[in-house]
Amino acid sequence: NIAMAAQMTDAHRRFLQVLMSHGIMEGSEARKLHRRCCEIHKVYYAHDKLDDFISTINSHLQPLFMQIRKGMSEVDGRAHYALVNLAETEITKMASDYAENELELFRKTMDLIISSENGFASSTDILNLADQLKTKKMKKKEAEQVLKVFVEDKWLSERNGEYTLHTRCIIEMEQYILSNYQDVARKCNICHSLAIQSQVCESCGIGMHLPCVRKYFRAQTEPRCPQCNDFWSCDIP
């Protein structure tokens, strides 16, 4: 309810502008930005009130179908904040930035990543798709360039020739992925958000993010599945 929402100040507006220009921001950066915005505009600042500060912005973004969402890096478990467009669904919001065959390559890359065991797809496998595109075939050199752009735009992350979904992509597209990949997409058994890079229990098939695995088993002498209590056979990261 906008009438009841806390007032947007210039500190909130500055925070939103900076986040918009970044697209996504790591938690510690967001906390620094929160403090800086409050100091510049001489607005009351409390170090533990970032989420309240953001929910004020969100209440004013609601009519614009936008929202600042909090998510987690699957690599190190750190919180991230991303500005998400709720009006358009998933890949349609990428449509204004990319050609049709680039979007098709992205979709096919996403298919590979989500249906893989470890949440990664190799550049070789992705590039092999380039000349199978229905919209318009791509040369491998072109496809390499497009993948580079997807990494720069924070839709994909790359490590040693292996690609996975960027934290920004997971925050933005979580709902889309869960509803369009119902057979293969899984939620983490610990934090209940979408898990792309995860370990899976061999007995019951539940998945857990690597940072959640690390945290969950830290205190246990013998790692056992939180769901079925069988021995956890994956190496604890």
Side-chain angles (χ1 to χ4, degrees):
N1 184 347
I2 299 301
M4 301 295 293
Q7 206 49 47
M8 273 272 271
T9 66
D10 286 340
H12 294 94
R13 288 183 198 98
R14 180 181 289 260
F15 183 95
L16 179 58
Q17 275 171 339
V18 175
L19 184 61
M20 277 173 89
S21 67
H22 284 72
I24 186 167
M25 198 174 263
E26 204 256 307
S28 61
E29 288 303 307
R31 285 191 292 277
K32 275 186 220 155
L33 176 64
H34 173 214
R35 180 177 189 160
R36 200 158 64 237
C37 292
C38 291
E39 284 170 356
I40 290 169
H41 295 287
K42 300 182 170 44
V43 167
Y44 168 73
Y45 165 76
H47 72 90
D48 57 347
K49 290 282 184 268
L50 173 61
D51 286 350
D52 290 353
F53 184 82
I54 285 173
S55 67
T56 295
I57 299 173
N58 278 341
S59 63
H60 292 267
L61 287 177
Q62 210 179 340
L64 308 172
F65 299 102
M66 302 204 61
Q67 189 182 57
I68 298 171
R69 272 195 193 153
K70 190 177 182 177
M72 178 189 89
S73 157
E74 296 200 322
V75 179
D76 55 23
R78 287 184 185 166
H80 283 69
Y81 293 87
L83 185 65
V84 175
N85 182 343
L86 306 170
E88 300 169 302
T89 53
E90 42 55 51
I91 290 173
T92 55
K93 46 169 101 94
M94 297 171 72
S96 53
D97 299 325
Y98 306 105
E100 265 188 77
N101 61 341
E102 294 171 346
L103 279 183
E104 191 186 348
L105 184 69
F106 180 79
R107 277 196 196 92
K108 286 184 177 299
T109 303
M110 201 152 143
D111 292 346
L112 285 177
I113 290 168
I114 293 168
S115 55
S116 72
E117 278 185 16
N118 61 355
F120 282 89
S122 73
S123 56
T124 315
D125 288 346
I126 298 169
L127 295 175
N128 284 340
L129 300 169
D131 57 2
Q132 299 167 26
L133 300 178
K134 289 189 180 76
T135 41
K136 184 185 167 204
K137 291 178 173 41
M138 251 186 230
K139 294 192 174 77
K140 287 208 168 145
K141 269 271 165 276
E142 269 180 277
E144 279 172 1
Q145 201 44 49
V146 171
L147 284 176
K148 217 169 133 186
V149 172
F150 285 144
V151 170
E152 281 164 12
D153 292 349
K154 301 189 176 92
W155 293 110
L156 296 176
S157 295
E158 185 266 342
R159 200 168 68 215
N160 307 324
E162 297 271 316
Y163 290 83
T164 189
L165 300 184
H166 192 283
T167 307
R168 174 199 176 180
C169 179
I170 293 172
I171 294 174
E172 289 229 11
M173 296 201 185
E174 178 168 18
Q175 287 320 116
Y176 170 80
I177 292 168
L178 288 169
S179 55
N180 284 271
Y181 294 88
Q182 287 177 355
D183 300 341
V184 281
R186 55 169 65 88
K187 286 188 174 187
C188 171
N189 192 263
I190 302 299
C191 71
H192 308 296
S193 55
L194 174 67
I196 301 293
Q197 295 174 53
S198 60
Q199 287 188 353
V200 176
C201 174
E202 284 182 1
S203 304
C204 70
I206 62 136
M208 291 200 272
H209 287 122
L210 306 186
C212 294
V213 166
R214 214 168 23 237
K215 217 180 282 177
Y216 182 76
F217 290 129
R218 193 182 288 154
Q220 300 189 17
T221 44
E222 191 183 50
R224 293 195 165 273
C225 173
Q227 181 80 15
C228 69
N229 206 34
D230 267 11
F231 183 73
W232 192 264
S233 54
C234 308
D235 291 336
I236 310 301

